[in-house]
Amino acid sequence: GGGAWCYENILRPDSKDAAAIDVLLSHVPPRGVFDRMPIIGSWGSSEFLRHCIMRREKAIRCHLFGHVHAQRGFWSLKEAEQRKRVLQGGVEYAKRTGDEQYVLEIMEASGLHFMANTALASDRTVNLFGKKRIAGTPRVINGIYKKGKWRFDANC
């Protein structure tokens, strides 16, 4: 189960709130998305949260989280030519992880359009002896509701 985080509530078909989730805020990321630490690999994410997002009948359009400071960034799923969907964005702090294909699969299967790790502070696993600092400028996330659909994008 979801324990103290209660992620199972986003799946409950008998919950009127579960059907109306367009934007999900959580502390941790879903497993496999912005959860790579330079020294210890995948850390601080939730497999159960990923499972709940993937199994929903009605898609969550935007998921915002933090927790893993070494993986600040965003992913946005955009329509391209010939109805193909492409992934834009990536890791803005620390090294790239090569997880683009995995993230694309999660977003396409779940219906997510936008995911962001909005953690701002630097991380000691990236620079062991560095001072804590703001790792990037604050990000403005735009949500536009038009013709019955939400669209999200980052102003970076």
Side-chain angles (χ1 to χ4, degrees):
W5 300 104
C6 299
Y7 297 133
E8 64 272 11
N9 289 341
I10 67 175
L11 273 179
R12 291 180 45 204
D14 60 333
S15 170
K16 64 179 180 180
D17 296 330
I21 300 172
D22 287 311
V23 178
L24 175 65
L25 301 174
S26 67
H27 182 74
V28 300
R31 181 80 168 173
V33 181
F34 294 123
D35 66 349
R36 304 286 186 214
M37 298 290 283
I39 295 172
I40 51 179
S42 188
W43 176 87
S45 57
S46 170
E47 176 65 32
F48 188 66
L49 175 58
R50 186 190 68 78
H51 168 80
C52 289
I53 290 169
M54 298 286 287
R55 295 207 42 225
R56 282 181 49 86
E57 288 181 26
K58 182 178 184 268
I60 296 169
R61 298 297 175 207
C62 176
H63 183 196
L64 308 174
F65 49 88
H67 191 56
V68 183
H69 290 259
Q71 290 278 276
R72 181 182 197 279
F74 74 92
W75 291 114
S76 181
L77 196 58
K78 302 287 185 184
E79 297 291 331
E81 295 178 12
Q82 299 172 345
R83 303 185 71 80
K84 183 179 177 186
R85 301 180 93 184
V86 295
L87 197 59
Q88 295 177 338
V91 177
E92 298 168 354
Y93 177 62
K95 61 183 179 180
R96 296 189 64 82
T97 59
D99 294 335
E100 288 86 354
Q101 187 59 41
Y102 182 71
V103 172
L104 181 61
E105 290 170 9
I106 290 173
M107 291 181 80
E108 284 186 326
S110 68
L112 271 163
H113 290 162
F114 189 87
M115 299 175 83
N117 179 342
T118 57
L120 284 173
S122 60
D123 188 88
R124 293 277 164 87
T125 63
V126 176
N127 184 355
L128 189 58
F129 299 107
K131 288 185 176 183
K132 282 278 195 181
R133 63 179 178 81
I134 299 298
T137 58
R139 176 183 301 115
V140 174
I141 299 169
N142 300 306
I144 299 167
Y145 188 76
K146 190 174 183 179
K147 297 182 181 179
K149 292 185 180 182
W150 277 103
R151 282 287 166 215
F152 297 90
D153 209 341
N155 182 2
C156 303

